Amino acid sequence: MIRIDTKEGPIFAVAEIQGIPINPLQPPFMDHIDPIRRWESQAERVWVRQPWIAETGESREIFYIGPTDTRPKSWGRFATREGAVEYVLNPPLQTAQVKLSDDELNF
């Protein structure tokens, strides 16, 4: 295990790439996490806005918990650790959602 120091406290993980924990020792449970209570617990607060990668078999899954989320969210699964890290460091741009009018759709 290695220790990763964050501004909210330490995270222990099997590995780390550019500040991203790989297989961390104690990520938040996947049950309900009260967003208000979270700020009282350093063990949970350390994970807010801190993505991590969980490796299982042939898959690497990115998890993230936002300030108002009640449980960690999956950002996706990747075949390689490098692919997952690249996604965290350089996420794809969000495309604008444009609603077309009925006139534009009638051709």
Side-chain angles (χ1 to χ4, degrees):
M1 283 290 148
I2 62 167
R3 177 184 170 127
I4 304 165
D5 291 313
T6 72
K7 66 179 183 173
E8 295 294 343
I11 292 174
F12 295 92
V14 171
E16 171 261 334
I17 298 176
Q18 296 189 34
I20 304 165
I22 312 293
N23 290 332
L25 184 60
Q26 294 179 326
F29 295 110
M30 298 303 173
D31 328 336
H32 175 78
I33 299 170
D34 181 0
I36 295 170
R37 183 185 60 79
R38 174 185 307 124
W39 299 107
E40 299 168 4
S41 169
Q42 187 271 338
E44 292 179 2
R45 191 174 59 236
V46 72
W47 294 102
V48 176
R49 296 187 185 103
Q50 173 61 59
W52 69 94
I53 298 172
E55 297 179 323
T56 55
E58 297 296 316
S59 177
R60 285 88 183 144
E61 189 167 4
I62 302 169
F63 290 98
Y64 176 85
I65 186 164
T68 59
D69 292 338
T70 57
R71 61 181 38 100
K73 293 182 180 178
S74 173
W75 276 0
R77 292 178 187 246
F78 298 82
T80 65
R81 182 183 282 186
E82 293 76 18
V85 169
E86 179 65 26
Y87 186 89
V88 172
L89 297 176
N90 299 303
L93 297 174
Q94 296 292 327
T95 57
Q97 298 295 325
V98 177
K99 184 169 170 91
L100 300 174
S101 70
D102 288 339
D103 292 335
E104 292 173 307
L105 293 174
N106 279 336
F107 46 89

